[in-house]
Amino acid sequence: MDNALRLLTDEQMRTFIAEGFLILNTDFSKTFHDQLLEKLNHVYQNEGNPGNNLLPRVRELQKVFDHPVVKGALTSVLGPDFMLHAHRHGHYNNSPKPGGWHKDSYWGYYRTRNLRPWWAMIMYFPQDTPLELGPTGIMPGTQYYGSRTFESDECAGEATAKGAAGTFALIHYDIWHRSTANTAGLDRYMLKFEFMRTQAPVAPTWDNRNPEWVTPAAFSTPILPHEALWRDTWNWMSGRSTPEDAGYAETDGDIVTLLEQLRGSSEEGRVRAADQLALLGGKTAAAGAVPALAQALEDPFEPVAINAAYGLARLGDAGVSALLQALRHESKQVARSAAYGLTAAGEQAVDGLTEALQSEREETVALAVFALGELQDKAASALPSLIRLLNGSSEAVRRVVVEALGTIGDPGIDSVVALAKSLKDEDVQVRFMTGLSLCKLGAKAEAALPELIEAMEDENRYVRAHAAEALYYIGTPQASAALLDFLRSSRWCPTTTPASTFYP
């Protein structure tokens, strides 16, 4: 097997951005998968589902994540320093009924989901999985919607991860998916692992040949157009993340006609009109597009609102003002769409978002913090205001603040001290999000070592895991020594089971 990383091509990356998934294949031998299945059957039949201990209990799986196709795909989407998350699960399915459509949670709590790919999942199939064996079903393009935009459980356009043993689905963490019906009456395993980006992109990490966004040549199924959003994501992943250097090509269009379509009865027509207005950018400023797009933020069909938000992000002060006003909207969906638009607006949104941190409305503050976090180094001036929010704010606000502190610019000692203190927060979700932020800061977080060492004794498994990961990413001699001490005392033996406690 060639060990060189198989990075994604430009076309594969474009498809991932637009559709939210790729179906890829490894080239392991039949013998490898036969042995893997034998081990899985033994574990599941004799011990039950190993849950988060899936990888140490079934050691052969490490070879999967060392495979150049798997590692290359993850490097392409999440960067070379991606993190394998402590949560993983082996799904066993022999049900003749399909599962329900859903997005995976973030371990039991709500958070504003990133449209940009900070998170991804791999769903690996260790056996031949034809359609009748119940592969995972995926609804293309839905990673950008908080609401379910399709009505029927049996939906046209559903993609499935069917294929030979070694097939895997690389998916945007937030895409709508489900298990399909296993009508074959045979065992089916799907091994799910989660991954997190630890560094914002500064350059393409896939096999990039063309720096500009090009719409994919073909889609697996018709999806709604989000060209402005797709281009923003492509540019962000390429290290270009401001409207000024976004490289948007002006498109031809009759603005009056587009505005009429934006108010029409066709959902698809409104989506396309909002997207075209977004692509026209500054040309629409003098044609009444700002109030029309601001009104479209309230469209009940979320894809329209998303495109309107990205259109307003490209319309200067007037567009940003409309988004900031919508951030305070009583509808969570409207306010969330506005927050996404503000993340694409660049530095011109920072002052207004910082002012929104003083709102008495919790949802407004949390969304403003989220948008500032997505603006990364551009939001460095907001750090003092964000740190102050850790004192006296609700759990929901504190959770998003500690996450933002891991992505905004050069954190400085004040941010690290604030995060170190948050490792002792009474809310467990604040604590484990703090650990993930310290992973992103790496060596800059060395001042938090005492608190991280203490956090490895936390009652929550994810707080402990994230603290250990943070020590790994800090990587200094003291951090590495503390991590080694922790691992030595918590060493896992993959062959010790209730049936084999000591021998052989």
Side-chain angles (χ1 to χ4, degrees), residues 22-41:
L22 292 170
I23 306 300
L24 302 169
N25 305 90
T26 57
D27 57 0
F28 288 112
S29 68
K30 182 178 184 300
T31 299
F32 172 82
H33 282 116
D34 287 346
Q35 293 173 345
L36 179 56
L37 280 173
E38 182 180 358
K39 185 64 172 289
L40 285 166
N41 284 326

Side-chain angles (χ1 to χ4, degrees), residues 1-44:
M1 181 177 67
D2 181 4
N3 290 322
L5 290 187
R6 316 276 178 81
L7 298 175
L8 298 180
T9 65
D10 282 340
E11 186 67 10
Q12 286 176 311
M13 182 59 70
R14 295 175 191 128
T15 300
F16 181 83
I17 289 171
E19 294 197 327
F21 75 100
L22 292 170
I23 306 300
L24 302 169
N25 305 90
T26 57
D27 57 0
F28 288 112
S29 68
K30 182 178 184 300
T31 299
F32 172 82
H33 282 116
D34 287 346
Q35 293 173 345
L36 179 56
L37 280 173
E38 182 180 358
K39 185 64 172 289
L40 285 166
N41 284 326
H42 174 80
V43 170
Y44 274 71

Side-chain angles (χ1 to χ4, degrees), residues 119-369:
W119 291 82
M121 280 193 287
I122 278 183
M123 298 176 170
Y124 190 86
F125 294 86
Q127 73 282 295
D128 291 345
T129 310
L131 189 60
E132 57 267 26
L133 199 59
T136 298
I138 302 163
M139 191 52 61
T142 58
Q143 70 274 20
Y144 299 123
Y145 313 146
S147 57
R148 197 175 115 170
T149 55
F150 46 97
E151 296 180 0
S152 172
D153 281 341
E154 299 298 330
C155 299
E158 177 179 6
T160 60
K162 62 183 179 180
T167 296
F168 67 96
L170 170 68
I171 69 171
H172 188 297
Y173 189 89
D174 297 312
I175 202 166
W176 286 87
H177 61 280
R178 66 168 180 171
S179 60
T180 61
N182 181 349
T183 60
L186 302 173
D187 296 338
R188 188 278 273 167
Y189 291 101
M190 183 275 282
L191 310 176
K192 183 187 77 175
F193 289 78
E194 303 177 2
F195 301 84
M196 185 189 81
R197 174 184 284 278
T198 62
Q199 298 296 316
V202 295
T205 55
W206 65 95
D207 183 16
N208 180 229
R209 306 298 178 89
N210 182 356
E212 302 305 326
W213 167 261
V214 178
T215 305
F219 295 112
S220 60
T221 188
I223 63 175
L224 293 170
H226 295 289
E227 287 282 345
L229 167 55
W230 298 339
R231 293 184 187 198
D232 176 84
T233 304
W234 171 272
N235 289 320
W236 179 76
M237 296 184 74
S238 301
R240 307 193 308 267
S241 57
T242 67
E244 291 76 19
D245 62 7
Y248 284 21
E250 299 272 337
T251 62
D252 294 326
D254 182 340
I255 295 175
V256 173
T257 300
L258 291 173
L259 291 173
E260 290 177 354
Q261 292 174 347
L262 188 62
R263 295 186 289 267
S265 59
S266 166
E267 290 179 338
E268 183 174 348
R270 298 199 304 275
V271 173
R272 292 185 181 280
D275 197 35
Q276 286 298 304
L277 288 167
L279 293 175
L280 286 167
K283 287 185 177 181
T284 67
V290 170
L293 288 171
Q295 183 62 41
L297 287 173
E298 301 182 21
D299 196 295
F301 192 52
E302 188 177 7
V304 179
I306 290 293
N307 282 348
Y310 277 78
L312 289 167
R314 301 194 64 230
L315 292 180
D317 291 342
V320 170
S321 178
L323 288 168
L324 288 168
Q325 183 175 347
L327 192 72
R328 295 168 168 80
H329 200 282
E330 61 184 11
S331 164
K332 291 183 179 181
Q333 180 169 300
V334 173
R336 184 175 64 243
S337 296
Y340 289 139
L342 289 163
T343 68
E347 192 170 0
Q348 61 185 333
V350 171
D351 288 346
L353 286 168
T354 305
E355 182 180 349
L357 299 178
Q358 302 175 32
S359 172
E360 295 181 359
R361 183 181 173 86
E362 178 184 283
E363 292 86 351
T364 300
V365 176
L367 287 170
V369 174

